Amino acid sequence: MQDSQGRVIEYARISLTEACNFCCTYCRPHEITEAMAPVLPASFWMSVLEALWLGGVKAVRFTGGEPLLYPHLYELLEVVQKKGWFSDISMTTNGSLLSQHAEKLYAAGVRRLNISLDSVEEEGFAQAVGRSGQLERVLQGIEAAKTAGFKNIKINTVVQKPMSDEEVRVLLHYGDTWNVVWRFIEYMPFQGKQSHVPTFQEWKAQLERIVGAPLELVTDRLGFGPAQYFRLPSGQQIGFIFPLSNQYCSSCNRIRFTADGYLRLCLLRDEDLELKRMVQRGADAQAILHCIEEALQGRYASHDGEAIEKVERPMWRIGG
């Protein structure tokens, strides 16, 4: 599959549910429970995934909300594993339920995990996720994932405010101790404007000051996502995802699907295509693929940079 700009689409993000047991300030104003969230059956996603496979998609990432709250998760993963359509199956999770699921996820064919962790201090973490007493559960989830056999674990931290050098050193220390890739993600003000947060160049300069040397760009590909990776003098690798101040639109290789059955062509543009009714009417994978390919021809070359307040769907309705 190619879009209107000739970009090859090989990566899809599937938001399985809008439900989440956290309410992070940059994502949602309050907790969204399973009872409040739309749920599409595994059969819906199998139709979409078969279409994506026919279109040449190689990698699929399951997201949410919190995807471990999706009631048909293992039914879906079992079929995906059996079909063998994709060379890469991954998941983004907040980690709070991971200690109960890590072994089952690995057995079901998931091989890469992104775990959201905005602070390793109890008070800071509680403030970030809107709930107290949760940090230990996430830390246990990370350890459970390592024990289950996951070799490719990335930790995602959203840079919501300027951090002190000491705060950054603590995160780098944990990344080195856990042998994971720590990734820093630019804050995107879906919930409205706020005071200045670090840009790509500012954040990179701070990291270089902390480690006392320029960051070495890593050219090897680490997954299918948009992150730029750098190597520290110690050999530790870190990732940057800064879509506003360091756009990567020209190399964008992904599309996303929302939990209520829409194709979203760009995270930062309101370009949605409803697929739910089409699938429910019995459209086969080839027809779904044709519909997706047509939609891709209306894709823009880039988003509007920092004019993110134009986006109508909040973060939690897009899939993070």
Side-chain angles (χ1 to χ4, degrees):
M1 277 192 301
Q2 291 189 3
D3 68 9
S4 58
Q5 310 301 313
R7 294 171 293 203
V8 177
I9 306 302
E10 56 181 357
Y11 175 33
R13 294 174 59 102
I14 309 289
S15 176
L16 295 175
T17 179
E18 293 175 358
C20 189
N21 52 341
F22 287 174
C23 41
C24 301
T25 54
Y26 51 82
C27 182
R28 67 187 67 219
H30 53 78
E31 181 178 347
I32 308 297
T33 67
E34 293 99 312
M36 298 163 61
V39 174
L40 293 171
S43 58
F44 171 87
W45 292 118
M46 289 310 306
S47 297
V48 171
L49 290 168
E50 183 178 0
L52 294 174
W53 168 68
L54 290 174
V57 168
K58 300 175 182 177
V60 171
R61 173 173 296 279
F62 296 110
T63 72
E66 172 48 53
L68 294 177
L69 293 175
Y70 178 62
H72 313 300
L73 177 62
Y74 291 104
E75 176 187 352
L76 177 60
L77 289 176
E78 180 182 354
V79 180
V80 171
Q81 185 180 33
K82 183 178 179 180
K83 294 289 186 180
W85 286 333
F86 308 105
S87 62
D88 186 272
I89 302 171
S90 57
M91 178 175 287
T92 296
T93 172
N94 65 29
S96 64
L97 305 172
L98 196 50
S99 61
Q100 306 148 242
H101 288 269
E103 289 187 5
K104 291 190 290 184
L105 289 174
Y106 194 85
V110 178
R111 287 296 176 267
R112 296 193 300 114
L113 290 174
N114 290 358
I115 302 170
S116 301
L117 184 60
D118 291 327
S119 175
V120 291
E121 298 178 350
E122 186 64 54
E123 183 178 347
F125 186 78
Q127 183 176 5
V129 304
R131 293 188 63 186
S132 60
Q134 300 298 309
L135 178 59
E136 186 59 32
R137 295 176 63 190
V138 177
L139 299 183
Q140 290 172 357
I142 294 170
E143 291 298 331
K146 293 170 61 179
T147 300
F150 285 95
K151 305 298 183 187
N152 194 321
I153 299 174
K154 298 183 178 77
I155 306 297
N156 291 343
T157 292
V158 176
V159 184
Q160 302 178 61
K161 60 180 179 58
M163 291 187 188
S164 69
D165 288 1
E166 182 56 32
E167 287 177 294
V168 178
R169 288 191 185 97
V170 169
L171 298 183
L172 295 179
H173 168 74
Y174 271 86
D176 188 46
T177 301
W178 290 337
N179 192 28
V180 298
V181 175
W182 211 288
R183 308 196 310 175
F184 300 99
I185 301 175
E186 185 171 30
Y187 173 81
M188 293 177 284
F190 277 80
Q191 300 300 330
K193 297 180 179 179
Q194 69 160 41
S195 57
H196 178 76
V197 293
T199 65
F200 172 79
Q201 291 298 339
E202 292 169 341
W203 190 247
K204 184 171 179 286
Q206 181 176 1
L207 267 291
E208 290 178 334
R209 185 181 69 250
I210 290 171
V211 302
L215 302 183
E216 177 189 352
L217 182 65
V218 175
T219 56
D220 296 339
R221 190 172 187 179
L222 300 180
F224 287 80
Q228 255 190 320
Y229 292 96
F230 296 90
R231 185 176 290 107
L232 307 184
S234 64
Q236 181 181 357
Q237 293 188 18
I238 59 173
F240 285 23
I241 303 177
F242 279 66
L244 301 182
S245 60
N246 189 43
Q247 281 191 18
Y248 43 79
C249 298
S250 62
S251 61
C252 183
N253 64 344
R254 67 205 144 276
I255 51 178
R256 61 182 65 223
F257 296 84
T258 64
D260 55 347
Y262 284 78
L263 162 68
R264 189 168 182 93
L265 298 174
C266 174
L267 175 65
L268 302 180
R269 280 186 178 273
D270 287 312
E271 302 167 6
D272 290 354
L273 172 70
E274 188 194 10
L275 292 172
K276 183 171 65 174
R277 281 182 290 186
M278 180 182 185
V279 175
Q280 289 174 339
R281 288 197 300 265
D284 63 15
Q286 196 65 56
I288 297 168
L289 172 61
H290 178 70
C291 189
I292 293 172
E293 288 177 325
E294 280 196 333
L296 285 170
Q297 301 319 301
R299 209 172 185 219
Y300 288 87
S302 66
H303 58 72
D304 292 329
E306 297 183 10
I308 194 173
E309 65 271 11
K310 295 180 182 178
V311 179
E312 294 182 1
R313 271 187 183 244
M315 177 69 82
W316 57 274
R317 299 213 63 219
I318 296 173

